[in-house]
Amino acid sequence: MASQFLFFFLISSFFPVLATREDQGFVRSLDQKPLGLKKEKLSHFRFYWHDIVSGRNPSAVLVVLPSSNTSTGFGLVSMIDDPLTLKPSLNSRLVGRAQGLYASAAQKELGLLMVMNFAFIEGKYNGSTISVLGRNAVFSAVREMPVIGGSGLFRFARGYVQARTHTFDIKTGDATVEYNVYVLHY
Ligand SMILES: *[C@@H]1O[C@H](CO)[C@@H](O)[C@H](O)[C@H]1NC(C)=O
Ligand SMILES: *[C@@H]1O[C@H](CO)[C@@H](O)[C@H](O)[C@H]1NC(C)=O
């Protein structure tokens, strides 16, 4: 009897389809605990995002020119690999990079579509990412954009960011923006 049971146990663990006939191996429900998903917590991160368009080593590169002659640059797309630092100074500690793109998505005012991953290198967050997708009306004092997910320590992340321009150099186009990230994660 015991050996029959053991046999069945072995078979069912080697062939999960036999064990859970209904789902055909396509989907099954899982216990959250073994995945380390114990208690959802709210974290607040603050750092500075540097969009460098001038000089010999820009961090933002225009990859698509606007298709029409609008004052908002509607249609332009810039690829970014922007440094994220602890303090407003670019020379302060690098905590990660914002990798992705922004595109001019509004015809009547300056409104960017932001699609970026914050790829952290700081401490235990090294290798974890937060994904942001949202609308950035760059002349507004505070721009809010959704956090739509993440990886590593930010699996199942959700939340929002608030962006505030810290400095903008009209001559060069370089910008430093303060980002406050409010994120629920495990
Ligand atoms: C684009 O706009 C500028 C400024 O309004 C104007 O001088 C120029 O002729 C326009 N170019 C085209 C191709 O329409
Ligand atoms: C982050 O992780 C990478 C890859 O594991 C490692 O090479 C790097 O030294 C780490 N950086 C920091 C700041 O710990």
Side-chain angles (χ1 to χ4, degrees):
M1 189 62 204
S3 64
Q4 270 177 345
F5 185 77
L6 183 63
F7 179 71
F8 178 72
F9 175 75
L10 284 174
I11 287 291
S12 59
S13 55
F14 283 132
F15 303 100
V17 172
L18 285 181
T20 51
R21 202 176 290 276
E22 289 154 39
D23 59 44
Q24 305 289 314
F26 177 56
V27 61
R28 64 197 170 116
S29 53
L30 285 179
D31 186 8
Q32 287 185 207
K33 292 249 163 61
L35 288 182
L37 307 173
K38 291 186 188 93
K39 195 166 181 301
E40 199 173 36
K41 54 183 178 271
L42 177 64
S43 299
H44 171 205
F45 295 85
R46 188 177 67 166
F47 45 75
Y48 293 83
W49 177 97
H50 300 269
D51 198 47
I52 307 156
V53 298
S54 68
R56 260 186 295 169
N57 295 305
S59 66
V61 176
L62 191 65
V63 291
V64 178
L65 286 167
S67 55
S68 62
N69 198 6
T70 64
S71 58
T72 66
F74 183 66
L76 78 77
V77 180
S78 260
M79 208 74 210
I80 61 169
D81 186 5
D82 286 351
L84 303 173
T85 60
L86 207 50
K87 296 274 160 59
S89 163
L90 185 54
N91 297 322
S92 66
R93 183 133 61 108
L94 186 74
V95 296
R97 310 191 70 86
Q99 297 173 334
L101 57 87
Y102 55 75
S104 175
Q107 289 180 297
K108 301 256 154 67
E109 70 274 275
L110 198 50
L112 302 180
L113 164 71
M114 309 289 292
V115 183
M116 59 185 169
N117 295 311
F118 294 147
F120 295 104
I121 58 166
E122 176 66 21
K124 68 172 178 175
Y125 298 101
N126 187 12
S128 293
T129 65
I130 287 177
S131 300
V132 171
L133 190 155
R135 176 172 188 269
N136 186 359
V138 294
F139 291 132
S140 301
V142 184
R143 291 89 70 186
E144 185 169 312
M145 292 168 268
V147 166
I148 58 161
S151 71
L153 291 178
F154 299 110
R155 287 175 180 172
F156 294 104
R158 59 208 166 96
Y160 62 97
V161 303
Q162 287 182 329
R164 292 174 177 82
T165 302
H166 184 267
T167 49
F168 176 65
D169 187 326
I170 292 182
K171 267 197 215 130
T172 62
D174 294 349
T176 300
V177 178
E178 178 187 334
Y179 268 81
N180 282 276
V181 182
Y182 301 88
V183 62
L184 282 167
H185 62 110
Y186 288 93

